Amino acid sequence: MKIGIIGISTFTLELACRAAQAGCEVIINNPRGGSLIKDAVKKMGTHAWIGSLEQAAAAEIVVLFIPKDDLENIIRSLPDMSDRIVVHTSGLIFDPHLLLSGITNAMTYKITASLLPQAHVVKLFSPVETQHKKADVSDQIKENIFYITDHSDSRNLIRSFLKKLHYVPIDLSARMDLHHKGLSLKNFINPLAVKPFKNSHN
């Protein structure tokens, strides 16, 4: 499987590293320049390399982490993305009381979807704890990760991909109503299974 990463954060670099370790081909493009991530990519081994925007966008799964101010310009610079799976990443503050508002307000992926109407856009939430807890090195609990998509083939592929990266994928697509104030995810979220990712934006 070929994975394209466009835009750099701690989370997308970790995705790239995990994907490379899992045997995927990973093409990484940082719109602000490849020299900033050269050393990090080199440590990922031969399965990952820095490529052009077009090369990263040609992958089976394209992961975007783009600042809001740059989003429209970069997306309009992409080649034809018809039928491609485009994953819009963001951080999610992990607090049960802020969960609904966090999801409701983290909707720039709708802008991505509107700019890429022929692509299959997936919203991926990387959990962020409000208070960092020191992890026990013996703790082998896999990390929960959340996604939303309305395309069944994309749903299946993303689920398989995230499992391959040793995440526990949780599909929120059919379980949430963004306008329902009583949303509760306590039954399928394990707060011990998340760890913080910095530099996230919605």
Side-chain angles (χ1 to χ4, degrees), residues 42-61:
K42 189 174 182 180
K43 292 177 182 178
M44 296 179 191
T46 57
H47 287 290
W49 64 91
I50 297 173
S52 67
L53 185 67
E54 291 75 15
Q55 288 173 324
E60 294 173 62
I61 297 176

Side-chain angles (χ1 to χ4, degrees), residues 14-84:
E14 180 167 342
L15 278 181
C17 185
R18 290 190 184 209
Q21 290 175 349
C24 300
E25 294 183 50
V26 184
I27 304 97
I28 303 170
N29 176 266
N30 183 16
R32 297 186 178 182
S35 60
L36 299 173
I37 56 168
K38 196 178 207 180
D39 291 340
V41 174
K42 189 174 182 180
K43 292 177 182 178
M44 296 179 191
T46 57
H47 287 290
W49 64 91
I50 297 173
S52 67
L53 185 67
E54 291 75 15
Q55 288 173 324
E60 294 173 62
I61 297 176
V62 180
V63 180
L64 299 180
F65 187 92
I66 302 171
K68 292 176 184 178
D69 293 343
D70 299 334
L71 185 63
E72 185 170 350
N73 287 336
I74 292 176
I75 286 181
R76 293 195 185 284
S77 300
L78 297 176
D80 182 14
M81 300 298 288
S82 298
D83 296 322
R84 296 202 178 279

Side-chain angles (χ1 to χ4, degrees), residues 151-170:
H151 183 253
S152 59
D153 290 343
S154 301
R155 181 179 297 115
N156 294 332
L157 184 57
I158 288 297
R159 184 189 302 115
S160 298
F161 172 62
L162 293 173
K163 284 183 177 180
K164 190 172 185 178
L165 271 55
H166 303 291
Y167 287 107
V168 178
I170 298 176

Side-chain angles (χ1 to χ4, degrees), residues 56-159:
E60 294 173 62
I61 297 176
V62 180
V63 180
L64 299 180
F65 187 92
I66 302 171
K68 292 176 184 178
D69 293 343
D70 299 334
L71 185 63
E72 185 170 350
N73 287 336
I74 292 176
I75 286 181
R76 293 195 185 284
S77 300
L78 297 176
D80 182 14
M81 300 298 288
S82 298
D83 296 322
R84 296 202 178 279
I85 296 177
V86 177
V87 180
H88 181 104
T89 67
S90 74
L92 172 62
I93 295 177
F94 193 84
D95 182 329
H97 300 292
L98 299 178
L99 182 58
L100 178 61
S101 62
I103 293 175
T104 304
N105 294 326
M107 299 298 279
T108 54
Y109 85 105
K110 290 292 188 183
I111 300 174
T112 302
S114 69
L115 293 171
L116 295 170
Q118 304 304 316
H120 306 302
V121 179
V122 178
K123 178 65 173 177
L124 186 65
F125 295 97
S126 55
V128 179
E129 289 184 328
T130 53
Q131 292 184 348
H132 178 62
K133 297 179 180 179
K134 186 176 181 181
D136 184 342
V137 294
S138 64
D139 186 4
Q140 298 299 315
I141 298 176
K142 290 185 178 180
E143 300 157 40
N144 290 342
I145 196 163
F146 312 97
Y147 65 97
I148 301 171
T149 179
D150 58 4
H151 183 253
S152 59
D153 290 343
S154 301
R155 181 179 297 115
N156 294 332
L157 184 57
I158 288 297
R159 184 189 302 115

